[in-house]
Amino acid sequence: GMAASSFAELSRYGKVYSGGKVAIVCDGSHAVCACDESLTVLDLVSGKQRLSVQSPTDEFTAFALHPSRHEMVTASRSRQLQHWQLDLTLGKSESVRSWKAHKMPVIDLAYEATGTLVASASADSTVMVFDVAKGYCTHVFRGHSGVVHRVLFHHDPAKLQLFSSGADNVVRVWDLASRACVAQLSEHTGLPAALALSADGATLITGGRDQVVNLWDVSSGKLLKSTTVLEPVEAVVVLGEARGGSKGKKGSRPLRFVTAGGGGPPVFCGGG
């Protein structure tokens, strides 16, 4: 056989992921995920770590990626929110600004479609919205009882709508213009850990740890369909056309989505 000495190490792959959210940057070139107390930025072509972002205070509890630029907002356990610029060519990150928010840690962050606003879901039972460039709070939404786990903006910026779900098993719809809760979607009997929108923005999909996926009419807040998937749902991803492709016309493609969670394989569902 060939002598061991004839082998040379070309590259080494260390630990890059320790669990939780994985997000893809706007141009699809890199993925961001948590690795212990830092965030890893992975090159999706080479599979190599491009960058590791360290929290200036303590471990990160949440992050969100800008919809059209190489930027992100992070939250750390000390309730510090940080706005970062990512240079993926040089493999560098720069903290642009930071500010304190909430009375307890932030569990989830979400950008709005234009990248102007970021929403935060917190263990203090509130949802806050921030103007990222100016670093100030624009909205504080109260109504959930217990931890708020997820936030999601409507992808039509003209709608100015925000969805949140919490340990009270309720999904709330907030209108940023009127600063009011315009709907409470309360069919789940376990945490609605997953929130997703159909491509046309007309249907909200909520997946729960109660093993149920619900489809809601966004404009009326009415429950359209309920499906049992036989495992706790942690994430929902909508499949199919690009946003704006289908406006719900006759003959348009049915809503299809994948659910994940509970340790089993992904479950493919159709929304009819």
Side-chain angles (χ1 to χ4, degrees), residues 22-261:
V22 177
I24 310 296
V25 300
C26 54
D27 59 11
S29 62
H30 292 72
V32 180
C33 59
C35 183
D36 297 328
E37 295 191 1
S38 61
L39 291 174
T40 302
V41 183
L42 281 175
D43 185 316
L44 289 176
V45 176
S46 70
K48 291 183 180 175
Q49 179 175 308
R50 191 83 196 93
L51 173 62
S52 178
V53 181
Q54 309 292 327
S55 169
T57 50
D58 45 19
E59 66 184 297
F60 292 116
T61 58
F63 72 93
L65 302 183
H66 193 287
S68 56
R69 295 205 290 261
H70 291 163
E71 297 179 12
M72 70 175 176
V73 170
T74 61
S76 62
R77 197 156 294 286
S78 57
R79 311 186 327 277
Q80 187 99 341
L81 266 64
Q82 203 102 9
H83 176 208
W84 303 81
Q85 287 180 339
L86 305 175
D87 187 327
L88 299 180
T89 310
L90 296 175
K92 289 182 178 174
S93 62
E94 183 192 354
S95 172
V96 184
R97 63 184 55 79
S98 64
W99 62 96
K100 280 268 189 176
H102 292 285
K103 293 173 182 169
M104 292 176 75
V106 171
I107 311 297
D108 192 31
L109 289 165
Y111 262 103
E112 159 267 347
T114 67
T116 308
L117 304 174
V118 156
S120 56
S122 171
D124 68 8
S125 79
T126 68
V127 173
M128 296 177 82
V129 180
F130 301 91
D131 183 305
V132 178
K134 293 172 184 166
Y136 73 84
C137 177
T138 59
H139 299 74
V140 180
F141 292 124
R142 296 180 176 89
H144 282 289
S145 57
V147 176
V148 188
H149 280 265
R150 297 285 180 268
V151 275
L152 173 73
F153 276 102
H154 197 288
H155 50 57
D156 178 358
K159 277 206 178 304
L160 285 173
Q161 260 187 354
L162 176 65
F163 308 95
S164 64
S165 66
D168 53 7
N169 302 335
V170 176
V171 176
R172 286 178 175 265
V173 186
W174 309 95
D175 179 75
L176 272 68
S178 67
R179 300 176 173 270
C181 178
V182 292
Q184 292 184 57
L185 316 178
S186 44
E187 292 289 324
H188 282 284
T189 57
L191 170 70
L195 302 175
L197 275 167
S198 61
D200 62 8
T203 308
L204 176 70
I205 306 163
T206 62
R209 290 182 185 165
D210 55 2
Q211 309 190 5
V212 170
V213 174
N214 287 328
L215 274 59
W216 310 85
D217 182 286
V218 170
S219 58
S220 69
K222 287 199 169 77
L223 181 65
L224 301 173
K225 186 177 181 180
S226 192
T227 306
T228 305
V229 291
L230 303 177
E231 68 165 6
V233 179
E234 294 295 326
V236 169
V237 176
V238 175
L239 305 173
E241 299 166 1
R243 284 172 191 165
S246 162
K247 298 292 181 193
K249 298 179 189 121
K250 279 189 181 172
S252 68
R253 227 190 273 178
L255 176 59
R256 293 192 177 92
F257 54 90
V258 181
T259 68

